[in-house]
Amino acid sequence: MTQTYRIRASSWADLFDCPMRWKAKNLDGIRSPSSAAAHIGTSIHAGTAAFDQARLDGSPISPDDAADALVQTLRHPEDDVVWTDDDPSINDAEQIALRLHGKYCVELAPHRDYVAVEAACESLTVDLDTGIAIELTGTTDRVRDTPGGLAISDLKSGQRRCTKDGRVDAKADGAQLAVYELMAEQSLGKPITGTAEIIGLQTTKTGGVGSQEVPHTRSLLVGTEEQPGLLQMAGMYLKAGLFPPNPKSMTCSPKYCPLFGQCKFHN
């Protein structure tokens, strides 16, 4: 009998960063409030999506008009958000988010021909023929038209996501982008053959925006004849029921892990 596990596209990096934390959040359903950083990112997504969707619909709006969605999301979260002493105040967070929103709308969005915005793709189940199947789920930020064909664009925000001069850190995002490629192909009924990209937004008062292409994403996920991909490796974790901790994880903290208070491995 095949057992199916659901894995969100955005959780792939977490699975291989600290499998124990991933299991707690995704299999055991142990939740913790959203961090301020994550909520700022959610708010930026709301504003930029409003801007891009209006362009896609043929009724473009100004960055300022689209920013209403950002402010509403930031000021009125649907879920609990924990703001710590290390986080910016809500007013400072709003100014940071609005600044990045404006830079994205003016500097990046006009140079992209989007065909889908915040596309909630149909889930895709991959049977690994080991008694384990993985159901891939997620919402694709953007699908853009390029000379090489349709391609994925994914927005990422954070203090280290982009430098002031526009250099983007995209080193751990290949698997997530590959999941989006597979799901978007299924949902749109068209091949995704262009090179995926990460759009980075640095959430500091003087932060920059930029983009970085990420080629060959699918081989990371599905593997090659010479080496298994992350799908097969995830299947090994799931089949064995082994989810080791990683106390050296950059996000090994009570801010990001619901098990932190009871986990002995970081001591």
Side-chain angles (χ1 to χ4, degrees):
M1 180 178 179
T2 299
Q3 187 168 3
T4 301
Y5 293 88
R6 175 175 291 188
I7 302 183
R8 291 179 297 109
S10 59
S11 77
W12 277 88
D14 207 29
L15 171 58
F16 292 99
D17 179 48
C18 180
M20 180 176 285
R21 181 179 65 233
W22 180 89
K23 176 180 181 293
K25 294 165 63 175
N26 294 276
L27 297 187
D28 300 333
I30 303 174
R31 296 288 183 225
S32 55
S34 178
S35 67
H39 184 55
I40 292 170
T42 298
S43 303
I44 295 171
H45 268 72
T48 56
F51 181 80
D52 288 334
Q53 187 63 57
R55 289 182 64 220
L56 183 60
D57 292 341
S59 304
I61 58 178
S62 69
D64 285 346
D65 287 341
D68 288 344
L70 183 159
V71 174
Q72 285 297 313
T73 301
L74 183 69
R75 296 281 181 174
H76 305 286
E78 294 183 357
D79 301 311
D80 292 336
V81 179
V82 173
W83 296 81
T84 70
D85 293 339
D86 295 330
D87 295 319
S89 68
I90 186 71
N91 290 332
D92 286 344
E94 181 175 295
Q95 292 306 308
I96 290 170
L98 287 173
R99 180 177 177 277
L100 292 172
H101 167 84
K103 288 177 72 66
Y104 168 84
C105 293
V106 172
E107 298 178 17
L108 296 179
H111 302 290
R112 284 156 177 79
D113 182 13
Y114 292 130
V115 301
V117 175
E118 295 290 335
C121 298
E122 301 171 15
S123 64
L124 175 64
T125 300
V126 180
D127 192 333
L128 299 176
D129 296 323
T130 61
I132 298 294
I134 293 178
E135 181 183 2
L136 304 173
T137 68
T139 298
T140 304
D141 281 355
R142 307 287 190 274
V143 181
R144 71 189 194 284
D145 198 3
T146 76
L150 297 182
I152 301 297
S153 294
D154 195 54
L155 279 66
K156 298 290 188 186
S157 62
Q159 292 187 356
R160 299 180 180 86
R161 265 298 172 178
C162 184
T163 62
K164 290 174 65 174
D165 58 356
R167 287 180 288 119
V168 175
D169 178 5
K171 63 184 179 182
D173 299 310
Q176 182 177 357
L177 292 169
V179 171
Y180 289 150
E181 288 179 351
L182 295 175
M183 294 177 63
E185 278 192 344
Q186 174 182 260
S187 294
L188 297 176
K190 299 178 180 178
I192 304 294
T193 57
T195 302
E197 70 170 353
I198 292 294
I199 295 175
L201 307 158
Q202 186 187 29
T203 52
T204 63
K205 290 183 178 180
T206 60
V209 300
S211 64
Q212 175 64 53
E213 290 192 339
V214 185
H216 313 304
T217 57
R218 295 199 203 190
S219 61
L220 295 174
L221 187 68
V222 303
T224 64
E225 292 182 359
E226 295 78 25
Q227 187 176 35
L230 294 178
L231 270 172
Q232 291 84 359
M233 294 178 188
M236 295 175 192
Y237 276 147
L238 296 167
K239 187 173 182 64
L242 294 176
F243 300 90
N246 178 17
K248 288 188 175 293
S249 167
M250 293 292 290
T251 52
C252 184
S253 76
K255 188 174 182 178
Y256 298 103
C257 181
L259 290 182
F260 189 85
Q262 53 188 290
C263 176
K264 64 182 180 182
F265 296 101
H266 59 77
N267 294 328

